[in-house]
Amino acid sequence: MTGRAEIHHRHRDVTGGWLRPSVFGAMDGLVSNFALIAGVAGGTSDAKVVLLAGGAGLAAGAFSMAGGEYVSVASQRELALAEIAVERRELQRNPEDEQAELAQALVDKGVLPETAAEVAAQISRDPERALEVHSQNELGVDPHSLPSPRVAAVSSFLAFATGALLPLVPYLFGATSLVLSAVVSCVSLFAAGALVSTVTARSWWFSGLRQLLVGALAAALTFALGNLIGASGL
């Protein structure tokens, strides 16, 4: 006997881990650039114009996603660090009150008062461990595992750019119409949707078809709009 409980089952990461932002970032790039390319192709038959628009859409979208993600995660991190600092000061100034607060939190979770008091006392003997536990209980964050703005920005840039590149690939290899781009995009949409099923409870075919329908509808609407504007000569 090792004294540790044996784990008989495991759960999927309900937060999605790295897969969720990567897949959804790629789908954002794929759907938005496919729709953009379809809209431009609906208004003109000049493949160079379509390629230019798609390239501009890829660059603009990727930089926008990266910048937005950097600012968002940096702000979230700064707020978390500020609140962790407040908690650290409270542990230094009022250690007994904080220990009692932790014991009460354990009681609220179903632990017997005597046991809760003992556990809280043991945790409070180590200031860093106490800070970690209080931060997780009160703020929902781990002081040692805060997200990195740089990693978030680079990941978002690469994910969006990868998705946005797919509708452009046929044009880069000489395609002169939207057909090949639409085929590549639709296959990619289904594949991305199917991949999302690994972090959801849905079947792969349902997730794939749902993403395909959403992306195809967006592209069809922008194609119709581009065709209408192109036909009107605006």
Side-chain angles (χ1 to χ4, degrees):
M1 295 291 289
T2 62
R4 299 184 62 181
E6 183 179 352
I7 299 175
H8 294 283
H9 69 283
R10 296 189 181 277
H11 293 287
R12 288 175 292 183
D13 181 359
V14 296
T15 66
W18 63 269
L19 181 62
R20 186 181 186 281
S22 298
V23 172
F24 282 92
M27 284 199 297
D28 281 345
L30 174 56
V31 172
S32 62
N33 220 31
F34 178 31
L36 173 62
I37 288 171
V40 176
T44 179
S45 59
D46 190 334
K48 291 184 178 179
V49 173
V50 177
L51 181 60
L52 176 62
L58 185 157
F63 281 114
S64 176
M65 286 285 290
E69 194 71 9
Y70 181 89
V71 172
S72 175
V73 174
S75 299
Q76 178 186 358
R77 182 185 176 88
E78 290 163 2
L79 175 60
L81 288 173
E83 292 302 311
I84 290 170
V86 170
E87 192 62 35
R88 187 188 295 276
R89 286 195 299 271
E90 285 300 310
L91 285 167
Q92 293 171 345
R93 294 172 181 175
N94 306 296
E96 294 181 358
D97 291 342
E98 291 296 309
Q99 182 176 322
E101 181 182 301
L102 177 57
Q104 184 58 52
L106 293 172
V107 170
D108 292 341
K109 293 179 180 180
V111 180
L112 292 174
E114 297 80 6
T115 305
E118 182 180 350
V119 171
Q122 291 177 357
I123 292 174
S124 299
R125 292 192 189 108
D126 182 347
E128 288 303 315
R129 179 59 176 165
L131 177 62
E132 180 180 339
V133 173
H134 279 274
S135 298
Q136 290 174 339
N137 284 345
E138 299 176 33
L139 306 175
V141 299
D142 183 345
H144 307 297
S145 301
L146 295 177
S148 166
R150 293 185 182 86
V151 171
V154 172
S155 299
S156 295
F157 181 91
L158 293 177
F160 187 96
T162 298
L165 179 63
L166 293 172
L168 271 179
V169 169
Y171 285 98
L172 291 172
F173 285 93
T176 57
S177 71
L178 183 63
V179 176
L180 283 177
S181 178
V183 170
V184 170
S185 298
C186 287
V187 171
S188 300
L189 283 167
F190 183 86
L195 185 59
V196 170
S197 67
T198 61
V199 293
T200 67
R202 292 290 189 177
S203 62
W204 63 270
W205 60 266
F206 177 87
S207 295
L209 285 176
R210 179 173 59 185
Q211 187 58 42
L212 173 59
L213 288 174
V214 170
L217 178 60
L221 291 174
T222 54
F223 179 85
L225 180 61
N227 189 260
L228 179 64
I229 294 175
S232 66
L234 295 179

